[in-house]
Amino acid sequence: MEQLIIEGGRLVTPQGVREGTVVVNDGKVAALLGPDAPLPEGPRIDAKGRYVLPGLIDTHVHFRTPGLEYKEDWAHGSAAALAGGVTTVMDMPNTRPPGLDEDALRTKAELVAGHAGVDHRFHIGADPANPGLLATLDPDVATSAKVFMAGHHTAPVVFRDRAQLDAAFEAAARGGVRLVLHAEDQQVFDLLDSWRGDPHSYAEYEPHRPRSGAIVAVAQVVELVRRHGTAAHVLHTSSAEEIDLLVAAAREGLPVTFEVTGHHLSFTHADTCRRGPRTRLSPAIRDEPDRERLWQAVLNGEAATAGSDHAPHTVEEKNRTPADAPPGLPGVQELAVSIWTGLRTRAVPADEAARHLVRLMGSGPAALFELPGKGRLEPGADADLVLFDPAERWQMSAADVRSKCGWSAYEGWTFTGRVVTTLRAGRVAWDVRTGLHTPADGRLLPTARRVEAVR
């Protein structure tokens, strides 16, 4: 591959934000040059007035292969990711059949090969019928496991039995597997459902799946981590109380981290009351004080990652009754720009906002999930790069949506900031003016522990 020069951008590096030029060679970052350094020969991309970010990472997507490709597939999911500056994803096991064992994930990898425009790894599904698998899980297959503590339309299995959950935490600790958790308590929800029944309107939806389920579940997670030493990452935190519990546990020295999502940072329950199924989610969208506590966790550095929980459904599915409409929305394309817009709306200076974004969607997830070469703009890293215009204001419409489902909860939003160009492995994969450029040659990534073993 020939050399490529990304000239004159504002580089977001582990050492800070500065003006400079990126030299790419053979799919890797070869050098970061100062603004006055002589430039080598080769084709150039003008990055003046734009941030140059490392390719972003979304560790929480549902690209629906196998079995649910009618509402998303890896070609469309990859296009949405690249349009949002995301070059690496980690896919969840909510498929048909679900990814609950090593053979299922190996088959999934074969199905995805040749269709993915982004690099990727998979979370295996923790199975309450076989928690011991986590003690012997092959790190070439997965190093993290999704635990559903509550069910919904696409949840393949749910840990309803406390002894099985305890066994999963114990096995994961022995196997060095990080648990990623949908932390809501199904027994709490079952109790409330036996009293209240189904919701009949979207105003009733959040009270139907209230914060109490999440608070009880997070308290259980903290206790199990304390008991077994298991590494645990709580997904899509939604309430102030969850955040406080997890921050307190981390301050105690427990290996617990948590994710914030774009939609919990962007919307409130009032939006769901007005807009209905587009923001019917699991966990439910909470209230304004909860949203502000999530933003505080971003600004304080308490949140470890930001994920999209990209979970497309068709319009027809989402337009079912409030009791039957599946939770979830497409979000991988919108994640970075929604966070950037929120940061700038809160008067966070641009360089500081860029550092927050790269921590949440770059260095943070790369370190947490052992993704070597990803998430850092430095020599030797993969030349996955994003040219980001920090000031462009634009309104999202259905015509902008790259997900196969064809809709976005952000239609009509005016964003500040836009992904102009995305490069993967040193090649332009997406450009806002000319669209998608990448072949479907995304790689199944090794883990850091496997790279070290090979060395």
Side-chain angles (χ1 to χ4, degrees), residues 46-408:
D46 184 4
K48 291 182 180 65
R50 292 162 183 169
Y51 283 99
V52 182
L53 316 175
L56 301 176
I57 302 167
D58 188 345
T59 56
H60 191 170
V61 305
H62 302 266
F63 280 1
R64 303 302 194 195
T65 296
L68 297 168
E69 293 91 344
Y70 70 92
K71 52 188 166 186
E72 186 62 295
D73 56 34
W74 277 76
H76 288 84
S78 296
L82 293 167
V86 172
T87 56
T88 299
V89 302
M90 295 185 71
D91 191 56
M92 289 293 176
N94 313 33
T95 55
R96 295 180 183 168
L100 299 180
D101 57 47
E102 293 178 356
D103 286 345
L105 288 198
R106 290 189 180 102
T107 298
K108 181 176 180 175
E110 293 172 358
L111 293 171
V112 169
H115 299 280
V118 291
D119 292 342
H120 49 277
R121 281 193 66 78
F122 305 129
H123 302 287
I124 200 168
D127 187 353
N130 186 22
L133 172 64
L134 302 180
T136 59
L137 183 61
D138 182 349
D140 274 352
V141 174
T143 59
S144 52
K146 176 72 174 285
V147 174
F148 285 95
M149 297 174 69
H152 57 69
H153 292 64
T154 64
V157 290
V158 177
F159 279 81
R160 296 173 180 270
D161 184 277
R162 301 293 168 83
Q164 290 175 324
L165 188 62
D166 184 87
F169 271 76
E170 189 275 334
R174 282 193 288 127
V177 172
R178 186 176 303 277
L179 298 182
V180 297
L181 297 115
H182 183 129
E184 294 185 287
D185 189 272
Q186 187 61 49
Q187 293 184 20
V188 168
F189 291 160
D190 288 345
L191 178 64
L192 293 174
D193 288 349
S194 68
W195 170 45
R196 286 179 172 160
D198 290 334
H200 299 290
S201 71
Y202 283 100
E204 296 177 8
Y205 177 65
E206 193 278 336
H208 171 69
R209 286 292 177 259
R211 69 184 61 238
S212 55
I215 296 165
V216 168
V218 167
Q220 291 177 52
V221 169
V222 170
E223 180 54 35
L224 289 167
V225 170
R226 184 181 287 118
R227 184 181 307 167
H228 299 293
T230 318
H233 186 58
V234 176
L235 302 172
H236 41 45
T237 48
S238 64
S239 71
E241 292 89 345
E242 293 166 71
I243 302 296
D244 290 345
L245 286 170
L246 291 165
V247 170
R251 295 285 174 85
E252 186 181 305
L254 298 179
V256 293
T257 53
F258 63 90
E259 170 195 82
V260 292
T261 64
H263 44 267
H264 285 104
L265 291 169
S266 297
F267 302 106
T268 68
H269 174 55
D271 293 304
T272 306
C273 292
R274 288 193 303 269
R275 305 182 68 193
R278 292 199 174 205
T279 54
R280 184 202 193 278
L281 298 164
S282 181
I285 301 289
R286 309 294 178 199
D287 296 319
E288 182 64 25
D290 299 295
R291 179 169 67 169
E292 289 310 306
R293 181 63 183 96
L294 295 176
W295 275 111
Q296 183 184 17
V298 168
L299 297 172
N300 290 347
E302 295 166 335
T305 67
S308 68
D309 193 4
H310 177 84
H313 301 284
T314 66
V315 171
E316 291 76 18
E317 288 172 324
K318 291 295 281 184
N319 282 337
R320 294 172 185 166
T321 65
D324 295 328
L329 50 70
V332 67
Q333 181 176 347
E334 300 92 331
L335 179 58
V337 292
S338 67
I339 291 174
W340 181 268
T341 300
L343 289 166
R344 298 295 281 145
T345 299
R346 286 163 176 78
V348 177
D351 282 2
E352 184 181 343
R355 291 193 297 270
H356 281 302
L357 189 61
V358 168
R359 178 181 62 81
L360 290 168
M361 294 186 66
S363 57
L368 198 67
F369 291 102
E370 304 177 288
L371 302 170
K374 303 298 185 185
R376 297 169 71 88
L377 179 52
E378 61 187 4
D382 291 351
D384 301 342
L385 304 169
V386 179
L387 276 62
F388 187 81
D389 185 330
E392 181 176 348
R393 289 176 60 81
W394 61 285
Q395 189 175 93
M396 188 166 193
S397 71
D400 297 304
V401 175
R402 303 297 164 184
S403 173
K404 191 173 186 178
C405 70
W407 62 273
S408 171

